[in-house]
Amino acid sequence: MPTNAFPPEIQLLADLHKPNARLGPGSDEHTRLALQLSGLKDRADLRIADLGCGTGASTLVLAEELDGEITAIDLFPEFLAELNRRAASRGILNITTAAASFDDLPFEPHSLDAIWSEGAIYNLGFEAGVKAWREFLAPAGILAVSELTWTTANRPSELQIHWESEYPEVDTASAKIAVLEDNGFKLEGYFPLPPSCWLDNYYRPLQARFPSFLDEQERSSASILCVEENKREIALYERFQDFFSYGFYVAKRVA
Ligand code: SAH
């Protein structure tokens, strides 16, 4: 698909993010922690999909830690190109990339041992994603996803209003776990991502990218707006980090 097929504001976001190693909160260490909870490390010849892989933050860890083939899916070919460069520079051979949308995934029913997806299921919505992706999993297949999660019962109304308008499905971990249980999954483990996953690994590199992005875009008003929106999101996290994070959910398909 030619890159000019995307709406300009979406393409702009992709241009902002494409040189960065991580396009959402996370860390290699926390991908490994989720892998420990999943039991996948004890198995061989795995078929795994990393959905919304971006530039490959989790994909590269999966490829190095697991015995099997990883298919890495993202809407943006330029993210996949960066992933392929990074895999080649590490001598990793068990990743195949494919540009595809969550609406049209290139997998047969029950064909995957695991679906991994860090910071991306919100694009479908958590419940819709859990339902749709379950069909691709073999019996006892693993679903490992990170998802925006309230970490307390109550929170400042300014924060609540912001996230409920940006992402109406934002909820507590107990509510997300109930969605998994109601849709044919058993929880294998859960943890919230700590601030280092947001600040050191995601927001600081993103802030460092702003000047070169604005130069490349010749300071168009759309690019300035894009940076301002990202700065507002960062400020919101810095003020309210006690009340929300990404939760990492590792679940097993049951019957
Ligand atoms: N997992 C990566 C990227 C997270 S950002 C990381 O943790 O760094 C979310 C990713 O989902 C982006 O790369 C975006 O291009 C991708 N994405 C968003 N909507 C999508 C869709 N409908 N189909 C496929 N990928 C999508």
Side-chain angles (χ1 to χ4, degrees), residues 105-128:
L105 290 170
F107 303 110
E108 297 296 322
H110 317 303
S111 65
L112 296 169
D113 299 305
I115 290 179
W116 210 269
S117 184
E118 298 197 16
I121 195 171
Y122 74 90
N123 289 290
L124 269 182
F126 186 75
E127 183 155 20

Side-chain angles (χ1 to χ4, degrees), residues 21-24 52-54 57-58 74-76 79 100-102 118-120 123:
R22 189 170 281 290
L23 312 187
C53 61
S58 52
D74 203 277
L75 269 185
F76 286 97
F79 290 167
S101 170
F102 296 155
E118 298 197 16
N123 289 290

Side-chain angles (χ1 to χ4, degrees), residues 25 148-151 155-167 170 195 198-199 202-204 206-207 210 227-246:
L148 190 73
T149 299
W150 296 131
T151 49
R155 62 222 52 106
S157 59
E158 181 185 344
L159 179 69
Q160 177 125 4
I161 289 164
H162 170 84
W163 279 124
E164 283 183 350
S165 99
E166 290 290 313
Y167 185 53
V170 59
W198 291 76
L199 296 171
Y202 178 45
Y203 284 147
R204 298 300 173 240
L206 187 60
Q207 285 170 316
F210 291 154
V227 166
E228 290 309 316
E229 277 170 11
N230 277 277
K231 284 184 179 171
R232 272 198 295 278
E233 188 191 300
I234 295 170
L236 194 83
Y237 180 77
E238 286 173 336
R239 280 174 67 204
F240 294 125
Q241 56 185 272
D242 283 345
F243 301 97
F244 71 101
S245 187
Y246 267 42

